[in-house]
Amino acid sequence: MGNAIRLSGLIILLATLLSPAGLRAQEARPHSMLVLDQSDRRGPFYYQVFVGLRDAVSAHSHAPTTIYTESLDLNRFGGEAYQESFRRFLETKYRDRPIGVVVAVGAAALEVALRWRPQLWPDTPIVFALVEEADFERLRPPAFVTGGIVTLKFENAVSVARAVVPDLKTVVIVGAEWERQVIFRNWKDQVAAGIPGVDIIEMVGRPMPDIIGQVAALPDRSAIIYTGLYSDGKGNYYPPSDALAFVAAKANRPIVVSAETFLRPGGIGGFVIVPSLIGAEAAKRALRLLDGEAPENLPPSAIDAVRPIFNWQQMQRWSVSEASLPQGSEIRFRDPSFLEKYRWRAIALATALLVQTLLIAFLLHERHMRRKAEVEARNQQSQLAHINRQATAGELSSSIAHELNQPLGSILTNAESAELILGSPTPDLQEVREIISDIKRDDLRASEVIRRMRSLLKRAPFEKKDIDLNQSMREAFDFLKPQASARNVAIYLQTSPQTLRVKGDPVQLQQVILNLVVNSMDAMARMPYGRTIIGRTEVNGAESAVISISDSGPGIPQDRLNEIFDPFFTTKEQGMGIGLSIARTIVLAHSGQLWAENQSGGGAVFHLSLPLAA
Ligand code: ADP
């Protein structure tokens, strides 16, 4: 049974190949196409049909194909004489140009092509495009004709009108008279049959001014269905998409359309024919014929070139939501989102923000690190200052011992005297009282020495207080006196008559004074005699107080006047070289200045200026 079927299939195939049509199919056809448009190809719709066709031909790369195009322009021209002259024109024009396939775009073009074929292209197959179901039925073309049949239903346009106008009551059809319509003329019967529940007003074949007047005052719950207008009735012709723009500018209701090219000029959308798909479909059939396939083997068939497409801007105008549209609808001409519109600016802004953020993060990090380093440096400095104070205290140990010995000695003497007095039969109690008060005074003096030592050696954090510089100098010099006399140094202090109020850390400022005086004593150590130190305080203008410590030592070599303040600069055998550098750091922290000079009469002088407190 299976074998029998296969055998009969083979016989049919052979018969087909050997038949005249089959033989013709094997002949090579010239690789050229003549595209015959029923309308003007310069209008957007027919142009898009052509673009679809041309692109499909270009994509078919294995054989170059020549495309010729002719527009019959049947919306604007017609009649026997016109058609006959056009035929003769083509006859002359293409005398030496063999045509492999004729592509007729539109039912009217197909009719003309069929009529002209015996004279112009007797053996050439015809591919039709943009032929509506009803036209195909009417023409019933012979076997050498193939093509894609499109179906456009009026009821689909009404269903879209219902989707965009809630509770739709009326549809108003705006277009040229049915007979002049090339694609939509088959709607005439469908319109006449009516749609249940909807009133249909045919505004068909009216002059443009009439139409524009009426569409501006349509009732609520109505929609316009636009089929196409080609002229204003006064001899002015235009592509139907241009005419739609005039209507849309005045219409007070949404306009449902059925061609993709009617979307942009003001149609809200609908089930629209996509012309480029029509062109591509026709090209595919034509190319198969040019490649040798027989038209009989490629029968006409329905094609899917209609899509639900809508115009977003019109949807906004008529408050139509996406949800109310048919499923799978495509929405065009959306306003670009902020990001789409300002893409590059947004990217630039975001980049700038990012860079700025990184920069800020970097700066914050750097600030944090600097703070950390500052704190560390300050810690180290205070550690050094403490070491320096310890060293100074060490150097001043004889002074301290002396200062303590004095009160302790007189306490002892006084205590012994009191003992003696109390041992007598009639002790003079008044004298004992005086002795005890002396003991108390000396004790206070001793504890004052210890207090000062402790405060000097204490590692206290930097704190600013109101200080009188004269007082600080006096205390320091008193403290230094025993050391000075032990080292044979005459030490004088001349304070300014007015008090010198400054804000500062008393212990640190005293450290500076001690460092300067001890340095002076060191500098004069090798001098056999005449060791003198003079301390002065004075006001410099209204702004600052100046302390100077001058000595009669050898002075400082001129080129080292600055160097001596560098850390670890020393000329002494046991020196650490940190005293002056710490002194300067302390003074700078008090917003003051510390500098050294040589006196004209010999010896060095150190000046310390500090801002006076307001
Ligand atoms: P050190 O006392 O440990 O050397 P300083 O920083 O206190 O460290 O002093 C640095 C150097 O400055 C001293 O070694 C000395 O050469 C010089 N100097 C300081 N004061 C005087 C002064 N009054 N006269 C001469 N030279 C001085």
Side-chain angles (χ1 to χ4, degrees), residues 519-520 523 551 555-556 564 569-572 575-581 604 606:
N519 271 349
S520 287
D551 60 54
I556 302 153
I564 53 169
F569 176 85
T570 183
T571 54
K572 299 172 198 168
M576 285 205 287
I578 56 168
L580 288 180
S581 98
F606 284 78

PDB file of all heavy atoms in Angstrom, residues 519-520 523 551 555-556 564 569-572 575-581 604 606, ligand 1:
ATOM      1  N   ASN A 519      70.306  76.875  78.275  1.00  0.00           N
ATOM      2  CA  ASN A 519      71.190  76.945  77.100  1.00  0.00           C
ATOM      3  C   ASN A 519      72.222  78.067  77.275  1.00  0.00           C
ATOM      4  O   ASN A 519      73.391  77.903  76.953  1.00  0.00           O
ATOM      5  CB  ASN A 519      70.378  77.213  75.827  1.00  0.00           C
ATOM      6  CG  ASN A 519      69.922  75.916  75.176  1.00  0.00           C
ATOM      7  OD1 ASN A 519      70.388  74.842  75.562  1.00  0.00           O
ATOM      8  ND2 ASN A 519      69.029  76.009  74.194  1.00  0.00           N
ATOM      9  N   SER A 520      71.746  79.226  77.769  1.00  0.00           N
ATOM     10  CA  SER A 520      72.660  80.362  77.957  1.00  0.00           C
ATOM     11  C   SER A 520      73.741  80.000  78.975  1.00  0.00           C
ATOM     12  O   SER A 520      74.921  80.300  78.776  1.00  0.00           O
ATOM     13  CB  SER A 520      71.900  81.591  78.447  1.00  0.00           C
ATOM     14  OG  SER A 520      71.128  82.120  77.391  1.00  0.00           O
ATOM     15  N   ALA A 523      76.159  77.820  77.310  1.00  0.00           N
ATOM     16  CA  ALA A 523      77.005  78.532  76.344  1.00  0.00           C
ATOM     17  C   ALA A 523      78.157  79.269  77.046  1.00  0.00           C
ATOM     18  O   ALA A 523      79.236  79.436  76.475  1.00  0.00           O
ATOM     19  CB  ALA A 523      76.151  79.516  75.547  1.00  0.00           C
ATOM     20  N   ASP A 551      72.505  86.660  76.774  1.00  0.00           N
ATOM     21  CA  ASP A 551      73.626  86.212  77.595  1.00  0.00           C
ATOM     22  C   ASP A 551      74.908  86.868  77.101  1.00  0.00           C
ATOM     23  O   ASP A 551      74.929  87.530  76.063  1.00  0.00           O
ATOM     24  CB  ASP A 551      73.734  84.680  77.585  1.00  0.00           C
ATOM     25  CG  ASP A 551      73.946  84.122  76.211  1.00  0.00           C
ATOM     26  OD1 ASP A 551      74.896  84.554  75.510  1.00  0.00           O
ATOM     27  OD2 ASP A 551      73.134  83.233  75.785  1.00  0.00           O
ATOM     28  N   GLY A 555      77.834  83.613  71.575  1.00  0.00           N
ATOM     29  CA  GLY A 555      76.889  83.880  70.479  1.00  0.00           C
ATOM     30  C   GLY A 555      76.762  82.655  69.569  1.00  0.00           C
ATOM     31  O   GLY A 555      77.319  81.594  69.849  1.00  0.00           O
ATOM     32  N   ILE A 556      75.997  82.817  68.493  1.00  0.00           N
ATOM     33  CA  ILE A 556      75.708  81.681  67.589  1.00  0.00           C
ATOM     34  C   ILE A 556      76.283  82.027  66.219  1.00  0.00           C
ATOM     35  O   ILE A 556      76.049  83.142  65.728  1.00  0.00           O
ATOM     36  CB  ILE A 556      74.188  81.465  67.470  1.00  0.00           C
ATOM     37  CG1 ILE A 556      73.605  81.199  68.872  1.00  0.00           C
ATOM     38  CG2 ILE A 556      73.841  80.325  66.523  1.00  0.00           C
ATOM     39  CD1 ILE A 556      72.168  81.591  69.012  1.00  0.00           C
ATOM     40  N   ILE A 564      69.815  76.008  64.497  1.00  0.00           N
ATOM     41  CA  ILE A 564      69.789  75.576  65.899  1.00  0.00           C
ATOM     42  C   ILE A 564      68.398  75.113  66.342  1.00  0.00           C
ATOM     43  O   ILE A 564      68.267  74.368  67.299  1.00  0.00           O
ATOM     44  CB  ILE A 564      70.292  76.687  66.863  1.00  0.00           C
ATOM     45  CG1 ILE A 564      69.518  77.982  66.618  1.00  0.00           C
ATOM     46  CG2 ILE A 564      71.788  76.910  66.732  1.00  0.00           C
ATOM     47  CD1 ILE A 564      69.766  79.029  67.696  1.00  0.00           C
ATOM     48  N   PHE A 569      69.747  69.091  66.335  1.00  0.00           N
ATOM     49  CA  PHE A 569      70.953  69.903  66.086  1.00  0.00           C
ATOM     50  C   PHE A 569      71.576  70.225  67.448  1.00  0.00           C
ATOM     51  O   PHE A 569      70.939  70.806  68.325  1.00  0.00           O
ATOM     52  CB  PHE A 569      70.616  71.205  65.349  1.00  0.00           C
ATOM     53  CG  PHE A 569      71.824  72.091  65.183  1.00  0.00           C
ATOM     54  CD1 PHE A 569      72.694  71.914  64.104  1.00  0.00           C
ATOM     55  CD2 PHE A 569      72.156  73.051  66.145  1.00  0.00           C
ATOM     56  CE1 PHE A 569      73.838  72.702  63.977  1.00  0.00           C
ATOM     57  CE2 PHE A 569      73.292  73.826  66.021  1.00  0.00           C
ATOM     58  CZ  PHE A 569      74.133  73.652  64.938  1.00  0.00           C
ATOM     59  N   THR A 570      72.805  69.838  67.608  1.00  0.00           N
ATOM     60  CA  THR A 570      73.481  70.130  68.885  1.00  0.00           C
ATOM     61  C   THR A 570      74.981  70.300  68.654  1.00  0.00           C
ATOM     62  O   THR A 570      75.537  69.724  67.717  1.00  0.00           O
ATOM     63  CB  THR A 570      73.224  69.007  69.916  1.00  0.00           C
ATOM     64  OG1 THR A 570      73.834  69.387  71.147  1.00  0.00           O
ATOM     65  CG2 THR A 570      73.781  67.668  69.477  1.00  0.00           C
ATOM     66  N   THR A 571      75.589  71.110  69.490  1.00  0.00           N
ATOM     67  CA  THR A 571      77.051  71.234  69.415  1.00  0.00           C
ATOM     68  C   THR A 571      77.648  70.752  70.726  1.00  0.00           C
ATOM     69  O   THR A 571      78.837  70.879  70.952  1.00  0.00           O
ATOM     70  CB  THR A 571      77.459  72.701  69.171  1.00  0.00           C
ATOM     71  OG1 THR A 571      76.851  73.513  70.176  1.00  0.00           O
ATOM     72  CG2 THR A 571      77.080  73.188  67.797  1.00  0.00           C
ATOM     73  N   LYS A 572      76.741  70.191  71.574  1.00  0.00           N
ATOM     74  CA  LYS A 572      77.215  69.778  72.897  1.00  0.00           C
ATOM     75  C   LYS A 572      77.501  68.282  72.899  1.00  0.00           C
ATOM     76  O   LYS A 572      76.789  67.515  72.238  1.00  0.00           O
ATOM     77  CB  LYS A 572      76.164  70.105  73.957  1.00  0.00           C
ATOM     78  CG  LYS A 572      75.863  71.576  74.038  1.00  0.00           C
ATOM     79  CD  LYS A 572      74.687  71.834  74.945  1.00  0.00           C
ATOM     80  CE  LYS A 572      74.128  73.212  74.691  1.00  0.00           C
ATOM     81  NZ  LYS A 572      72.837  73.402  75.337  1.00  0.00           N
ATOM     82  N   GLY A 575      74.586  66.693  74.397  1.00  0.00           N
ATOM     83  CA  GLY A 575      73.330  67.333  73.981  1.00  0.00           C
ATOM     84  C   GLY A 575      72.410  66.390  73.209  1.00  0.00           C
ATOM     85  O   GLY A 575      72.863  65.461  72.558  1.00  0.00           O
ATOM     86  N   MET A 576      71.114  66.647  73.316  1.00  0.00           N
ATOM     87  CA  MET A 576      70.137  65.875  72.540  1.00  0.00           C
ATOM     88  C   MET A 576      69.677  66.661  71.314  1.00  0.00           C
ATOM     89  O   MET A 576      69.154  66.109  70.365  1.00  0.00           O
ATOM     90  CB  MET A 576      68.920  65.559  73.407  1.00  0.00           C
ATOM     91  CG  MET A 576      69.185  64.457  74.423  1.00  0.00           C
ATOM     92  SD  MET A 576      67.672  63.639  74.892  1.00  0.00           S
ATOM     93  CE  MET A 576      66.915  64.867  75.903  1.00  0.00           C
ATOM     94  N   GLY A 577      69.812  67.966  71.380  1.00  0.00           N
ATOM     95  CA  GLY A 577      69.437  68.807  70.240  1.00  0.00           C
ATOM     96  C   GLY A 577      67.935  68.919  70.047  1.00  0.00           C
ATOM     97  O   GLY A 577      67.453  69.180  68.955  1.00  0.00           O
ATOM     98  N   ILE A 578      67.166  68.729  71.130  1.00  0.00           N
ATOM     99  CA  ILE A 578      65.709  68.845  70.951  1.00  0.00           C
ATOM    100  C   ILE A 578      65.131  70.039  71.703  1.00  0.00           C
ATOM    101  O   ILE A 578      63.978  70.400  71.496  1.00  0.00           O
ATOM    102  CB  ILE A 578      64.967  67.557  71.362  1.00  0.00           C
ATOM    103  CG1 ILE A 578      65.315  67.201  72.801  1.00  0.00           C
ATOM    104  CG2 ILE A 578      65.253  66.424  70.414  1.00  0.00           C
ATOM    105  CD1 ILE A 578      64.419  66.125  73.386  1.00  0.00           C
ATOM    106  N   GLY A 579      65.927  70.641  72.587  1.00  0.00           N
ATOM    107  CA  GLY A 579      65.403  71.725  73.428  1.00  0.00           C
ATOM    108  C   GLY A 579      64.807  72.861  72.632  1.00  0.00           C
ATOM    109  O   GLY A 579      63.641  73.237  72.837  1.00  0.00           O
ATOM    110  N   LEU A 580      65.564  73.386  71.683  1.00  0.00           N
ATOM    111  CA  LEU A 580      65.070  74.539  70.916  1.00  0.00           C
ATOM    112  C   LEU A 580      63.948  74.141  69.967  1.00  0.00           C
ATOM    113  O   LEU A 580      63.019  74.920  69.743  1.00  0.00           O
ATOM    114  CB  LEU A 580      66.222  75.200  70.144  1.00  0.00           C
ATOM    115  CG  LEU A 580      67.218  75.990  71.010  1.00  0.00           C
ATOM    116  CD1 LEU A 580      68.319  76.605  70.132  1.00  0.00           C
ATOM    117  CD2 LEU A 580      66.490  77.113  71.764  1.00  0.00           C
ATOM    118  N   SER A 581      64.061  72.936  69.399  1.00  0.00           N
ATOM    119  CA  SER A 581      63.000  72.555  68.447  1.00  0.00           C
ATOM    120  C   SER A 581      61.681  72.396  69.193  1.00  0.00           C
ATOM    121  O   SER A 581      60.618  72.787  68.707  1.00  0.00           O
ATOM    122  CB  SER A 581      63.399  71.299  67.664  1.00  0.00           C
ATOM    123  OG  SER A 581      62.831  70.169  68.219  1.00  0.00           O
ATOM    124  N   ALA A 604      74.409  85.881  72.727  1.00  0.00           N
ATOM    125  CA  ALA A 604      73.192  85.590  71.944  1.00  0.00           C
ATOM    126  C   ALA A 604      71.986  86.171  72.659  1.00  0.00           C
ATOM    127  O   ALA A 604      72.008  86.364  73.880  1.00  0.00           O
ATOM    128  CB  ALA A 604      73.041  84.083  71.794  1.00  0.00           C
ATOM    129  N   PHE A 606      67.694  85.509  72.615  1.00  0.00           N
ATOM    130  CA  PHE A 606      66.531  84.795  72.078  1.00  0.00           C
ATOM    131  C   PHE A 606      65.284  85.623  72.358  1.00  0.00           C
ATOM    132  O   PHE A 606      65.110  86.120  73.470  1.00  0.00           O
ATOM    133  CB  PHE A 606      66.405  83.415  72.722  1.00  0.00           C
ATOM    134  CG  PHE A 606      67.401  82.420  72.186  1.00  0.00           C
ATOM    135  CD1 PHE A 606      68.724  82.442  72.610  1.00  0.00           C
ATOM    136  CD2 PHE A 606      67.015  81.484  71.232  1.00  0.00           C
ATOM    137  CE1 PHE A 606      69.650  81.532  72.107  1.00  0.00           C
ATOM    138  CE2 PHE A 606      67.929  80.579  70.734  1.00  0.00           C
ATOM    139  CZ  PHE A 606      69.253  80.601  71.162  1.00  0.00           C
TER     140      PHE A 606
HETATM  141  P1  ADP B   1      71.060  70.945  73.118  1.00  0.00           P
HETATM  142  O1  ADP B   1      70.989  71.968  74.195  1.00  0.00           O
HETATM  143  O2  ADP B   1      70.738  69.599  73.535  1.00  0.00           O
HETATM  144  O3  ADP B   1      72.243  71.047  72.245  1.00  0.00           O
HETATM  145  P2  ADP B   1      69.156  72.720  71.926  1.00  0.00           P
HETATM  146  O4  ADP B   1      68.169  72.487  70.822  1.00  0.00           O
HETATM  147  O5  ADP B   1      68.629  73.294  73.156  1.00  0.00           O
HETATM  148  O6  ADP B   1      69.839  71.320  72.131  1.00  0.00           O
HETATM  149  O7  ADP B   1      70.264  73.642  71.348  1.00  0.00           O
HETATM  150  C1  ADP B   1      70.811  73.414  70.107  1.00  0.00           C
HETATM  151  C2  ADP B   1      72.114  74.124  69.920  1.00  0.00           C
HETATM  152  O8  ADP B   1      71.932  75.528  69.807  1.00  0.00           O
HETATM  153  C3  ADP B   1      73.099  73.991  71.021  1.00  0.00           C
HETATM  154  O9  ADP B   1      73.824  72.762  70.929  1.00  0.00           O
HETATM  155  C4  ADP B   1      74.001  75.202  70.798  1.00  0.00           C
HETATM  156  O10 ADP B   1      74.971  74.925  69.810  1.00  0.00           O
HETATM  157  C5  ADP B   1      73.069  76.211  70.227  1.00  0.00           C
HETATM  158  N1  ADP B   1      72.662  77.200  71.253  1.00  0.00           N
HETATM  159  C6  ADP B   1      71.520  77.230  71.958  1.00  0.00           C
HETATM  160  N2  ADP B   1      71.463  78.304  72.796  1.00  0.00           N
HETATM  161  C7  ADP B   1      72.607  78.975  72.620  1.00  0.00           C
HETATM  162  C8  ADP B   1      73.137  80.160  73.192  1.00  0.00           C
HETATM  163  N3  ADP B   1      72.502  80.904  74.142  1.00  0.00           N
HETATM  164  N4  ADP B   1      74.351  80.566  72.769  1.00  0.00           N
HETATM  165  C9  ADP B   1      75.021  79.869  71.838  1.00  0.00           C
HETATM  166  N5  ADP B   1      74.564  78.724  71.239  1.00  0.00           N
HETATM  167  C10 ADP B   1      73.373  78.294  71.637  1.00  0.00           C
END
